[in-house]
Amino acid sequence: MIASPIATILPTSAPNFSAEAGIFGGIVMFFFFGFIFWLVALVDILKSEFNEPTNKVIWLVLTLILPFLGPLLYFIFGRKQAKKGSGMNLKIVFTLLSFFVWYPLGVVLMWVWTNWPKWIKVIITIAASIFFSLPFIAK
């Protein structure tokens, strides 16, 4: 039996778009969290008081020019150059961001790291539990 010319042109299987979507989603998440990391570093530099005033300018320039490497270097080396008590409380920032990344981690970190009043923690835990369980209840 002879195959028709059209059968040789048509693909034998459907393209796998789920693999491309997974790769694209991973790239988007990488850049989203990279942007958040960059933004937190930038705000922390602006709010911090440094022992040497030129250090603030140096860290700002490094963070703006090197968007991924600059914040990483700042959090490793630069925060040690800032005066104690200046800048942001990174535990609270990380706790709030973790609510959106992985909900249970945010609740655990809130109870462990923050010194918020207990009634606020209870309200946030209940509200977040209801909000994040709605998709499962709505089925």
Side-chain angles (χ1 to χ4, degrees), residues 2-132:
I2 299 175
S4 70
I6 294 179
T8 59
I9 296 172
L10 295 175
T12 57
S13 64
N16 185 2
F17 290 115
S18 64
E20 288 91 6
I23 293 171
F24 180 72
I27 292 171
V28 168
M29 292 303 286
F30 175 76
F31 281 105
F32 174 73
F33 289 116
F35 174 74
I36 296 295
F37 185 60
W38 175 81
L39 192 63
V40 167
L42 196 61
V43 170
D44 191 62
I45 292 169
L46 290 171
K47 289 185 81 173
S48 294
E49 296 177 28
F50 288 86
N51 298 328
E52 295 290 326
T54 55
N55 287 351
K56 185 175 205 167
V57 175
I58 291 170
W59 285 115
L60 276 173
V61 169
L62 276 175
T63 302
L64 291 172
I65 291 176
L66 305 170
F68 292 108
L69 185 61
L72 182 65
L73 292 173
Y74 169 71
F75 283 119
I76 294 172
F77 302 111
R79 281 185 61 87
K80 296 174 187 168
Q81 299 172 356
K83 293 180 182 176
K84 296 289 182 196
S86 66
M88 297 187 318
N89 186 344
L90 293 181
K91 287 183 177 181
I92 292 177
V93 171
F94 186 72
T95 300
L96 294 175
L97 288 176
S98 64
F99 270 108
F100 299 102
V101 176
W102 193 50
Y103 155 70
L105 177 64
V107 172
V108 169
L109 291 178
M110 177 188 66
W111 282 95
V112 173
W113 278 353
T114 64
N115 57 353
W116 300 341
K118 192 176 231 173
W119 65 272
I120 290 178
K121 291 179 182 181
V122 169
I123 289 174
I124 291 174
T125 303
I126 292 171
S129 298
I130 292 170
F131 178 76
F132 286 108

